[in-house]
Amino acid sequence: MNLKGKVAIVTGGSSGIGLAIVLELARQGANIVINYHTHPKAAEELEKQVRGLGSHAIGVQADVSQIDDLRALFSQAVESFGRVDIMVNNAGVETRSSILDTTEEQYDKVLSINLKSAFFGTQLAAQQMIKQGGGGRIINISSVHEDWPMPGNTPYCLSKGGMRMLTRTAGVELAPHNILVVGVGPGAVETPINSATMKEPALLKKLDSAIPLGRMAKPEEIASLVAFLASDGASYLTATTVFVDGGIMQGSPGL
Ligand SMILES: NC(=O)c1ccc[n+]([C@@H]2O[C@H](COP(=O)([O-])OP(=O)(O)OC[C@H]3O[C@@H](n4cnc5c(N)ncnc54)[C@H](O)[C@@H]3O)[C@@H](O)[C@H]2O)c1
């Protein structure tokens, strides 16, 4: 698995799964554009870590729910590294609100950060990849909830369900350009998005016991799959989602 000479953009790259993806792609030799929204210090620290791995990185502030910000992110990537080979649509949020009480503001926030950003991120990546030639990889960080209802988290499930069809449709549409589009569907991962559960021992125990492998994933266990999907070894995978969920979608142990 060698990504030497490749250029990757990772949205929401300064924390959690995105941070682990940045480090793993860099370890494999890729140069990285680390998109961050609100934490410049974390992005700066990560740039240093990438340099320590022998790759180059730039941190770029952008609110990926805004198309102009996304355009500026791509311009800076091309200006700095000349091309984009790997696009990782990773930025995401949730509101934990049910269908009964979700506000318009919550709906718009989750759908625009999770889905609109991935749609236009895919569009801009594909336009750049077609222009430069040679194909590319677009990896959408989805969730088991692209398929699996989570009551009380309706906008999130909706956004990931949309991402599921974005991956499938864009994968088919872009296949003639050798641009492969793949979704990654994590189960529960130890990141800031789950901090409330992780701080509550009873909740954590309940969650762990529902997972066949008996524990949450480490972000690095998602990142290693992303690095494989970006590599030559994954040259026949497109328009589908690979789940990395410790078996949880297949049922809980003992039930
Ligand atoms: N942690 C899990 O259990 C889990 C499970 C399945 C899927 N996911 C998905 O993984 C992705 C990463 O989440 P995480 O778990 O690492 O949590 P996280 O909160 O650490 O990461 C989310 C990132 O998105 C960034 N972000 C939020 N709004 C943004 C915006 N407008 N513009 C740019 N960046 C923005 C945040 O700054 C943060 O860096 C998300 O898409 C999430 O839905 C996470």
Side-chain angles (χ1 to χ4, degrees), residues 12 15-17 62-64 90 92 141-142 156 160 186-187 189 191-194:
S15 69
I17 293 172
D63 175 348
V64 293
N90 165 75
I141 306 303
S142 180
Y156 184 78
K160 298 300 186 182
V189 190
T191 73
I193 220 172
N194 285 318

Side-chain angles (χ1 to χ4, degrees), residues 11-12 35 62-67 69-70 73 91 112-113 116-117:
T11 68
N35 159 247
D63 175 348
V64 293
S65 67
Q66 304 298 315
I67 297 173
D69 278 26
L70 272 175
L73 176 65
S112 63
I113 294 175
K116 181 181 162 192
S117 73

